[in-house]
Amino acid sequence: MALLGERAVVLGASMAGMLAARVAAEHYRTVLVVDRDIPPERPVHRRGVPQAAHGHVLQAGGVAVLDELFPGVLSEMVAGGVPTWSDGDLSRVYLEYGGHRFLRSGCLPDAVTTYMPSRPFLDWHVLKHLSAIPNATVLSGHDVVGLVSTQEGQRVTGALVARRGATEAASVLDADLVIDASGRGSRAPVFLQDLGYGRPREDELVVNLCYTSQWLRIPPGAIHEHMVATFPRPGEATTVALLNHENDTWLMTVGVMAGAEPAQDYTDMLRLARRRLPRRLLEVLESAAPVGHTAHYRTPSSRWRRYDEMTRRPDGFMVTGDAVCSFNPIYGQGMTVAALEALALRRCLRRGDTDLPQRFFRDAAKIVRVAWRNAVGADLSLPEIAGERPLGMRINSRFADMVLTAVETDVVVNSQFFRVLSMLESPTRLMRPSILARVARANIRRPQPIPEPEPAPAG
């Protein structure tokens, strides 16, 4: 690989940061990842990743990137007890999306392997593999307080960092490239404004999401599924997810949107789950043993900072991951988008560093746009969410509802929808004539509405 500089500095050991650092290590003599947390000795929640205590799914599109950039990490996690779903057996997942329940029998004709690590377990293994790269180092326990640039501000030449809790002055880390992967709280807009470039425009949709999660001890074999997830539908803006993670541990997450009152404890979580889950699952959850404390998380909105639209930007500085776009997390897109952005970064670096930020932001925006439309379109299908619904979006929502009607009964449409949902393929694949014909047939003989789950008795 062509050497493009002496050092790249990555701000944040988020999933986006670790993936970006892995790619940068191919083109810079050294890569330094600056992070506020002290690397844990075992998989635990990190303060810098507050959402890690809640349900996460690494979509198949992200799995493929992870396997390419960190060979062996997937097999290592499986050896460590991470369950997988590889046979496409639809009885192993219970999914309801937009008020449509996925087919529960048969096997997907072109199934891909889904891995089910918890977020702390995944982060810990990826960080271990990154730390094994000879020219990559993690500078832990430090905050980023600013950028350093040339006198004219035309190029970023490093980052200003300070040790957490220390009294000494901040120090300068010289760099040929600085990549901000510090998450939703990124201060990149402020840093750019200080350099005279102004802030990027922001697209935002207010969703007022509140999560409550609880680890559970459930007897092996008590639940047949690997994954249970019911997404919001009109009139019921509640998400309930139950995920089987490493070593037969289970994580339950309940989310509410549009300002609804969130669950305060596990008893409260069960109260909300009774509205969405069938009796057989509720009976298991009623007898499950909570482990540890109940965790809470709030996110006010989906937000896309449009760095791709800035007419002026400095060389030597890029932004990736949630620092660019943070989606409504119930759709599980964030890590996979970050992984696809890492591949975009690799393609850009292989073409040299001329106009590197411009090329990267343009390519990354193409990736973000697909996920943004999917998430925002799903949210705006709920009357509880306020926002503009232009004609094009209403047409897309109607088509999505027709596809989801077919997903209830057609295994081929199921398979194609899974591949789109997993970000392996473009949504345009759903418009192939063979798929459209199946969607049309399913809607002509549309089945009766699926009965609501029979509520289990409280207690």
Side-chain angles (χ1 to χ4, degrees):
M1 300 292 179
L3 188 68
L4 299 180
E6 289 298 312
R7 181 160 69 178
V9 170
V10 178
L11 312 181
S14 61
M15 183 59 65
M18 291 188 287
L19 292 166
R22 164 64 182 84
V23 170
E26 298 175 351
H27 294 278
Y28 293 84
R29 196 175 303 279
T30 61
V31 175
L32 185 63
V33 181
V34 182
D35 195 62
R36 60 180 298 177
D37 294 329
I38 303 299
E41 296 181 358
R42 57 187 179 85
V44 295
H45 299 145
R46 291 189 289 144
R47 184 179 178 185
V49 191
Q51 69 274 30
H54 306 276
H56 281 75
V57 174
L58 180 64
Q59 305 286 7
V63 167
V65 177
L66 202 64
D67 192 39
E68 179 177 349
L69 296 182
F70 295 104
V73 70
L74 297 174
S75 57
E76 185 180 287
M77 288 193 295
V78 171
V82 167
T84 62
W85 177 49
S86 58
D87 59 5
D89 180 359
L90 289 170
S91 71
R92 303 307 299 271
V93 293
Y94 182 99
L95 293 177
E96 185 185 305
Y97 198 100
H100 300 268
R101 201 167 307 155
F102 282 42
L103 188 64
R104 296 273 295 136
S105 61
C107 291
L108 299 177
D110 52 355
V112 295
T113 301
T114 299
Y115 295 79
M116 305 289 291
S118 67
R119 179 64 186 271
F121 199 80
L122 174 62
D123 279 3
W124 187 78
H125 279 275
V126 173
L127 183 58
K128 186 171 70 169
H129 276 251
L130 175 65
S131 300
I133 297 174
N135 63 329
T137 306
V138 177
L139 177 64
S140 59
H142 282 71
D143 288 320
V144 179
V145 297
L147 298 177
V148 182
S149 71
T150 56
Q151 187 173 358
E152 303 82 10
Q154 294 180 344
R155 184 177 188 88
V156 170
T157 59
L160 198 62
V161 302
R163 189 158 58 91
R164 293 181 64 81
T167 57
E168 65 260 28
S171 57
V172 175
L173 297 177
D174 294 329
D176 298 290
L177 176 66
V178 176
I179 303 173
D180 185 345
S182 57
R184 184 182 176 94
S186 163
R187 297 182 63 199
V190 176
F191 296 157
L192 289 175
Q193 188 173 47
D194 290 345
L195 292 176
Y197 290 91
R199 293 169 175 254
R201 182 180 70 82
E202 294 184 359
D203 293 334
E204 187 171 35
L205 179 67
V206 175
V207 295
N208 287 322
L209 172 71
C210 298
Y211 262 178
T212 307
S213 292
Q214 176 69 62
W215 285 96
L216 300 172
R217 186 177 295 112
I218 295 174
I223 295 178
H224 178 69
E225 291 86 353
H226 285 308
M227 176 197 304
V228 174
T230 63
F231 294 91
R233 64 182 183 225
E236 182 59 85
T238 303
T239 296
V240 179
L242 183 64
L243 303 174
N244 182 204
H245 288 316
E246 58 274 3
N247 300 315
D248 212 30
T249 55
W250 289 84
L251 180 64
M252 182 178 179
T253 294
V254 174
V256 296
M257 294 169 60
E261 185 67 25
Q264 299 302 314
D265 53 25
Y266 186 54
T267 299
D268 227 7
M269 293 171 67
L270 289 175
R271 175 183 59 81
L272 293 174
R274 289 188 191 102
R275 306 206 305 241
R276 305 304 308 272
L277 299 183
R279 174 186 284 272
R280 62 180 180 82
L281 291 173
L282 287 166
E283 288 176 346
V284 176
L285 294 174
E286 294 278 4
S287 60
V291 178
H293 67 280
T294 303
H296 304 275
Y297 180 71
R298 293 175 180 267
T299 184
S301 63
S302 296
R303 185 176 63 196
W304 184 4
R305 289 169 169 159
R306 302 305 304 268
Y307 292 102
D308 58 301
E309 293 183 348
M310 296 183 70
T311 56
R312 295 178 59 250
R313 59 177 71 83
D315 289 328
F317 181 66
M318 297 188 300
V319 190
T320 188
D322 282 0
V324 174
C325 188
S326 55
F327 305 91
N328 183 337
I330 66 172
Y331 303 114
Q333 299 173 302
M335 291 192 295
T336 302
V337 167
L340 296 175
E341 287 176 339
L343 289 190
L345 174 61
R346 174 187 258 183
R347 292 191 294 269
C348 289
L349 289 172
R350 286 178 173 176
R351 296 198 298 269
D353 60 357
T354 302
D355 295 327
L356 178 60
Q358 178 180 352
R359 290 187 286 115
F360 172 74
F361 285 130
R362 180 189 62 217
D363 291 356
K366 296 175 183 177
I367 298 166
V368 171
R369 185 172 292 109
V370 173
W372 178 263
R373 287 175 175 171
N374 289 344
V376 169
D379 286 336
L380 287 176
S381 70
L382 308 173
E384 295 86 352
I385 301 300
E388 184 180 355
R389 294 164 172 83
L391 177 61
M393 177 175 289
R394 296 198 301 273
I395 293 172
N396 285 338
S397 293
R398 175 59 184 142
F399 176 69
D401 188 72
M402 294 176 65
V403 171
L404 287 166
T405 296
V407 162
E408 296 180 12
T409 57
D410 190 306
V411 69
V412 175
V413 180
N414 255 273
S415 182
Q416 185 61 72
F417 189 79
F418 265 112
R419 295 184 71 82
V420 171
L421 200 63
S422 301
M423 303 187 74
L424 282 171
E425 295 182 357
S426 166
T428 58
R429 298 287 289 174
L430 291 167
M431 298 180 183
R432 288 180 298 158
S434 60
I435 298 296
L436 288 175
R438 288 178 172 273
V439 169
R441 284 197 296 270
N443 279 265
I444 290 171
R445 57 172 185 262
R446 185 167 188 152
Q448 292 297 315
I450 297 174
E452 292 297 308
E454 181 182 354

